[in-house]
Amino acid sequence: MSALPRRIIKETQRLMQEPVPGISAVPDESNARYFHVIVTGPEDSPFEGGLFKLELFLPEDYPMSAPKVRFITKIYHPNIDRLGRICLDILKDKWSPALQIRTVLLSIQALLSAPNPDDPLANDVAELWKVNEAEAIRNAKEWTRKYAMDN
Amino acid sequence: MDDSTMTENSDEMEYQEDEEEDEDDNDYYYNYDNYADSGGDHHNDGNDQNSGGADFETLQGVECLNVEQAKNLLNEHVDLLSSKLHISPSLAKLFLHLNEWNVNAIVQAYLKHTNAFLVENRVKPPSTSASAMDSLPLPTPSSSTSSPHSSSSKTSVCSVCTLSLPLANDIDMRRKLHISPSLAKLFLHLNEWNVNAIVQAYSKHTNAFLVENRVKPPSTSASAIDTLPIPTPSSSTSSPHSSSSKTSNYIGLLSCGHPFCKNCWAKHFEVQINQGITLDISCMASQCNILASETLILTLLRPALHDKYESFSFRDFVSTHPHLRFCPGPNCAMVMKARESKPKRATCTSCHTSFCFQCGAKCSQRNLAQLEAEIENLSWKIERAETTDRGDLENQMDIAEKRRITLLKDFHLTAPGKEGRGSAELSLYLNSISCSGDWKQHGSEYYECSRYKENPNIGRESAHAQAREALKKYLHYYERWENHAKSLKLESAMLEKIRTRIHSKVMTSSGTWIDWQYLIDASTLLARCRYTLQYTYPYAYYMEPSLSHSRKELFEYQQAQLEAEIENLSWKIERAETTDRGDLENQMDIAEKRRITLLKDFHLTAPGKEGKGSAELSLVS
């Protein structure tokens, strides 16, 4: 494997030295492009109190192409499907090389605060979110309690 | 398929291809075609616009260009625009690409509202009133640091690779004045490399300074010279891009001024180009959509990728040019050029593929799939409609109808031309047979399967029964139309088969080559008949109910007759094993007569009467 680009080293250093509140990202011991991420559920969201595990991988041509991010913890969210894939514009066509791991994870945290059922990935969840938001939020809380609260 | 298109347009055509093609056995085929055409014209009452095979209207003034010719054509546009507006060719290309190659409209828009036009075409950032534009000079240097990334550029670090950006003396000045590096060099040279003095003098009396440094003639308003800075951005006709992109190494390469280092730009371009993006490559900064110009890209890109870039951008240019189309034929690199984009036939001189010029290869399968799905939905709902609650059903009807219209629009059913792709796509979907019954059982006297029998009591039925009826009627005609389209496609395969059959017959010395020519003759006629028949179905579908009953009956009768004769002919052609051609020629004559009768009765006498229907039929003849 080729040497780690300076950009990745810098970003990793900064993530370790000045971590973003509510987000921890630790590079894997054997692969510096692979990060173990934990995002805490934002306050005043149905995911509050949960600790959500994610994996983040920086592809070969990062930062020219977007990092690959996936939820490992199950989550009830209209823009995240059951495999943990995330529907987020900056991970797709709106990616810019000027964005960073930090900004991506912040965006994901923001997505937890503001689900967007009009652009769904998990259709059943989005449907319920639109038809009966109260019940959807109840489900989300239930899932958070069930999957994201035990260690 | 046919040579006649070529000869018709011979005055505009480059003949270099023709010499290559007219070789070997093709010769015979083409010659035959010409013969058939002249024969056909008599039948068509001198309507000599049509040619043999499947006959629909040929687009006049079509040229067939090879890649080089097409590139030259595009470059002519580019040169014209760049000389008219005094902008760099790469910028001209970008404008043309984004504005459908309409030179006049671009010139007008540009001259009227230069600023708005530049913003709209993503050459200039919208809000900052050009203060951050690289090569455009500013009235006051104080506002020049308003670029969104100015903070990071002060620390001079590329935010992509985190390497520091060297700020050389001249780059420093360039950033202060936003002029091109070459101009900066000139100023520095003429003013003893005193950056501060230059900046002061420049910002105080821009005009005088420019005149003094012999960059601008004293009197004129400097509107016409490329790379010349002009005090007010709105009056600038100089290129915002070209000058800056040639030599500068670092920071704000685009008008938005976002600073990144050269290597990162190069890598960014590389990744984008490998994804097939060329003309739409934008700034690396997040949410900045300023486009990168070709000059900049080609300057920074490593040479190995230049070819790739050129070919991708050429493809994009052709696709946005309203008068150019790639030939949809397999492995054909030709580009077709027409004076107008109309749903008419264009034929490639290189591979002889005929296609509808307007849609080219663009007809989407998606529309068809959607229609399919909606029809399924609709029929499901109709079947299960138990209550009088019609809201849902009517909604569904509406959706289905809309999808249908979209599809028809895309396929230009009213103006047929896409025998190739369109029908191929259609036949992928609906594989039903027009009538699965045995032909023998139908008898020859009155073939009724082509006719749709409407329920006479329909007016009294409930809404959902009416909807079911409408759907059934539509499907009835559509399926038949589609089937004939499919058969027509098979016909070309059949022709191939016939030719091999003839070949083997001649080889085994049963008859001479000339003896067997009547078979090809027959199958061409069959294709023509099928084509006519195919478009009698849309005609029948749109036939006005007010049309007198006897007219309708006559039409249906003739349609049925034609259908029956065509099937007979098809059967006979397939089984022709001897050179005894009497029977077959008789059949050909009958079929052609039926066709002419039908067209005479319903095409020539009733044009304009039926709106859509007649439009379709007029293309049939």
Side-chain angles (χ1 to χ4, degrees):
Chain A
M1 194 172 158
S2 58
L4 213 55
R6 187 185 147 89
R7 153 92 183 239
I8 295 180
I9 296 167
K10 282 264 172 189
E11 271 201 69
T12 313
Q13 279 173 357
R14 190 152 169 245
L15 278 170
M16 305 308 246
Q17 282 159 14
E18 323 161 29
V20 193
I23 294 172
S24 94
V26 185
D28 191 86
E29 281 168 7
S30 59
N31 186 349
R33 286 175 177 271
Y34 185 90
F35 287 75
H36 302 276
V37 179
I38 294 174
V39 174
T40 54
E43 274 175 40
D44 302 321
S45 79
F47 311 103
E48 186 175 354
L51 290 177
F52 295 91
K53 278 192 203 143
L54 295 90
E55 59 178 4
L56 182 148
F57 181 72
L58 305 176
E60 185 59 39
D61 44 7
Y62 178 83
M64 297 307 155
S65 42
K68 312 227 175 301
V69 197
R70 189 176 78 88
F71 269 84
I72 292 173
T73 309
K74 270 171 83 91
I75 183 167
Y76 194 83
H77 191 286
N79 308 107
I80 300 163
D81 73 1
R82 73 175 71 173
L83 297 175
R85 294 176 299 192
I86 306 164
C87 177
L88 188 61
D89 57 354
I90 60 160
L91 292 177
K92 305 264 157 37
D93 54 325
K94 289 288 185 320
W95 169 252
S96 145
L99 294 169
Q100 302 176 11
I101 300 172
R102 168 186 301 268
T103 41
V104 166
L105 294 178
L106 277 170
S107 298
I108 290 171
Q109 204 178 30
L111 188 67
L112 295 187
S113 298
N116 178 10
D118 291 323
D119 185 17
L121 194 59
N123 280 318
D124 48 334
V125 180
E127 195 58 37
L128 188 64
W129 216 283
K130 278 201 269 197
V131 176
N132 186 351
E133 197 178 336
E135 194 190 330
I137 287 177
R138 242 194 335 273
N139 282 345
K141 279 185 180 155
E142 173 68 18
W143 281 40
T144 305
R145 199 184 52 72
K146 225 157 112 188
Y147 302 111
M149 283 197 187
D150 53 0
N151 297 320
Chain B
M1 284 292 285
D2 67 67
D3 202 31
S4 57
T5 343
M6 281 162 55
T7 43
E8 266 173 39
N9 302 321
S10 57
D11 49 325
E12 329 203 5
M13 220 171 286
E14 311 280 334
Y15 259 96
Q16 58 194 67
E17 286 90 22
D18 295 359
E19 287 153 25
E20 298 161 24
E21 257 95 55
D22 288 353
E23 285 171 0
D24 308 339
D25 57 340
N26 282 348
D27 245 338
Y28 293 109
Y29 180 55
Y30 294 135
N31 290 342
Y32 157 73
D33 239 358
N34 284 336
Y35 155 74
D37 289 340
S38 54
D41 284 344
H42 298 300
H43 296 298
N44 283 336
D45 298 321
N47 189 357
D48 59 2
Q49 283 209 338
N50 311 303
S51 42
D55 24 44
F56 43 83
E57 229 175 305
T58 303
L59 184 58
Q60 298 298 304
V62 179
E63 284 179 68
C64 201
L65 311 172
N66 63 26
V67 172
E68 276 312 308
Q69 289 165 328
K71 276 187 178 161
N72 289 342
L73 181 87
L74 295 176
N75 283 335
E76 274 171 32
H77 282 86
V78 172
D79 290 343
L80 180 68
L81 185 66
S82 70
S83 66
K84 264 191 180 173
L85 293 181
H86 301 277
I87 56 177
S88 70
S90 73
L91 196 61
K93 263 190 199 170
L94 195 65
F95 287 161
L96 287 165
H97 172 65
L98 294 171
N99 294 281
E100 296 189 327
W101 298 79
N102 190 337
V103 176
N104 288 337
I106 296 171
V107 171
Q108 274 192 3
Y110 185 88
L111 293 180
K112 246 190 191 167
H113 309 283
T114 309
N115 216 38
F117 183 76
L118 291 178
V119 171
E120 199 177 291
N121 287 289
R122 295 161 59 193
V123 172
K124 222 171 108 174
S127 58
T128 54
S129 76
S131 59
M133 285 201 63
D134 195 29
S135 66
L136 277 183
L138 301 163
T140 55
S142 57
S143 67
S144 68
T145 48
S146 63
S147 119
H149 270 239
S150 54
S151 55
S152 60
S153 66
K154 265 172 200 156
T155 57
S156 64
V157 168
C158 170
S159 61
V160 171
C161 62
T162 71
L163 291 169
S164 56
L165 301 164
L167 288 179
N169 203 18
D170 66 334
I171 291 174
D172 199 20
M173 193 192 78
R174 275 190 51 228
R175 286 189 50 239
K176 284 185 178 159
L177 291 182
H178 294 270
I179 57 177
S180 69
S182 60
L183 205 56
K185 265 188 205 160
L186 191 68
F187 288 161
L188 289 163
H189 171 67
L190 291 172
N191 293 279
E192 297 176 337
W193 295 80
N194 186 338
V195 175
N196 287 341
I198 297 170
V199 170
Q200 271 192 6
Y202 182 88
S203 48
K204 245 189 193 166
H205 307 287
T206 310
N207 220 36
F209 182 79
L210 292 176
V211 173
E212 198 179 292
N213 285 287
R214 298 181 297 169
V215 174
K216 213 173 115 175
S219 56
T220 68
S221 62
S223 60
I225 303 161
D226 193 32
T227 73
L228 245 197
I230 291 125
T232 52
S234 59
S235 70
S236 75
T237 45
S238 73
S239 152
H241 264 201
S242 59
S243 50
S244 69
S245 49
K246 276 166 201 151
T247 47
S248 63
N249 283 339
Y250 302 101
I251 63 169
L253 288 175
L254 299 180
S255 59
C256 52
H258 292 128
F260 301 104
C261 73
K262 192 177 143 191
N263 286 339
C264 291
W265 279 114
K267 243 187 245 163
H268 176 59
F269 296 148
E270 199 177 318
V271 168
Q272 299 283 310
I273 290 164
N274 279 329
Q275 288 173 7
I277 304 167
T278 50
L279 300 164
D280 206 37
I281 297 178
S282 57
C283 177
M284 279 198 282
S286 177
Q287 298 182 336
C288 175
N289 66 355
I290 297 300
L291 294 173
S293 76
E294 186 184 50
T295 328
L296 173 63
I297 293 169
L298 289 180
T299 316
L300 294 180
L301 199 63
R302 58 191 172 92
L305 281 169
H306 281 199
D307 280 351
K308 206 170 191 178
Y309 177 84
E310 299 277 359
S311 71
F312 281 166
S313 63
F314 174 66
R315 181 201 61 194
D316 284 1
F317 282 138
V318 171
S319 69
T320 54
H321 197 295
H323 298 150
L324 293 182
R325 291 282 178 282
F326 277 114
C327 170
N331 296 324
C332 182
M334 302 304 273
V335 177
M336 309 293 288
K337 182 198 168 213
R339 286 195 221 100
E340 46 183 2
S341 177
K342 281 196 170 165
K344 291 184 181 174
R345 175 169 63 175
T347 306
C348 175
T349 51
S350 168
C351 69
H352 306 290
T353 305
S354 285
F355 62 101
C356 162
F357 191 82
Q358 184 165 310
C359 35
K362 276 187 191 160
C363 280
S364 68
Q365 288 201 357
R366 209 192 55 218
N367 285 343
L368 199 57
Q370 280 174 343
L371 175 65
E372 185 94 318
E374 296 307 338
I375 289 178
E376 284 292 305
N377 268 343
L378 183 59
S379 64
W380 192 87
K381 282 187 180 163
I382 291 170
E383 259 171 50
R384 280 157 192 77
E386 295 291 339
T387 65
T388 52
D389 173 26
R390 33 197 284 195
D392 191 33
L393 186 65
E394 279 180 358
N395 189 22
Q396 188 61 45
M397 280 164 67
D398 206 38
I399 294 174
E401 178 67 8
K402 279 211 182 104
R403 294 263 187 247
R404 191 175 72 83
I405 300 295
T406 323
L407 183 73
L408 289 182
K409 261 192 204 152
D410 265 22
F411 280 88
H412 307 297
L413 208 58
T414 52
K418 299 187 12 64
E419 61 167 350
R421 245 160 223 264
S423 61
E425 275 166 349
L426 282 168
S427 48
L428 280 178
Y429 280 95
L430 297 168
N431 276 331
S432 47
I433 304 171
S434 66
C435 175
S436 45
D438 187 353
W439 281 107
K440 300 291 168 237
Q441 288 170 8
H442 287 96
S444 58
E445 202 38 57
Y446 202 91
Y447 173 69
E448 286 198 315
C449 297
S450 57
R451 186 165 68 149
Y452 181 74
K453 292 184 210 83
E454 245 175 289
N455 184 349
N457 298 325
I458 189 70
R460 274 173 269 151
E461 298 283 338
S462 63
H464 78 251
Q466 280 187 28
R468 186 193 295 147
E469 202 63 26
L471 176 70
K472 249 165 74 186
K473 182 179 169 196
Y474 169 68
L475 281 178
H476 175 91
Y477 286 114
Y478 173 74
E479 273 172 16
R480 275 156 186 76
W481 176 83
E482 193 270 338
N483 275 310
H484 285 290
K486 207 166 62 183
S487 309
L488 200 56
K489 205 186 135 244
L490 289 176
E491 228 56 75
S492 58
M494 172 109 136
L495 188 66
E496 205 44 53
K497 238 195 257 165
I498 287 174
R499 285 162 92 176
T500 42
R501 180 144 41 112
I502 291 174
H503 191 71
S504 66
K505 291 275 182 196
V506 173
M507 285 299 132
T508 55
S509 50
S510 57
T512 65
W513 197 85
I514 291 295
D515 288 337
W516 287 100
Q517 282 313 291
Y518 77 97
L519 260 189
I520 294 183
D521 211 338
S523 64
T524 312
L525 183 95
L526 181 61
R528 182 159 34 199
C529 287
R530 266 208 203 287
Y531 188 82
T532 306
L533 186 62
Q534 180 190 349
Y535 285 98
T536 57
Y537 287 106
Y539 181 82
Y541 180 70
Y542 286 110
M543 213 192 269
E544 277 167 25
S546 60
L547 206 64
S548 78
H549 187 65
S550 58
R551 278 295 279 167
K552 199 172 172 197
E553 217 158 61
L554 179 61
F555 177 78
E556 276 164 356
Y557 175 75
Q558 292 188 348
Q559 188 187 29
Q561 291 290 320
L562 179 61
E563 177 123 37
E565 296 305 341
I566 284 175
E567 291 312 324
N568 275 339
L569 181 61
S570 169
W571 194 88
K572 281 184 182 163
I573 288 176
E574 242 173 277
R575 280 158 191 79
E577 289 297 337
T578 64
T579 51
D580 173 26
R581 41 202 276 196
D583 192 29
L584 190 71
E585 285 199 339
N586 190 24
Q587 186 62 48
M588 278 164 65
D589 205 39
I590 296 173
E592 180 66 7
K593 285 241 167 68
R594 294 275 187 218
R595 191 177 82 91
I596 300 301
T597 318
L598 180 76
L599 288 179
K600 257 194 196 145
D601 277 6
F602 288 92
H603 171 42
L604 295 175
T605 56
K609 237 185 190 174
E610 345 251 66
K612 265 189 181 187
S614 71
E616 273 152 41
L617 210 58
S618 70
L619 286 156
V620 165
S621 71

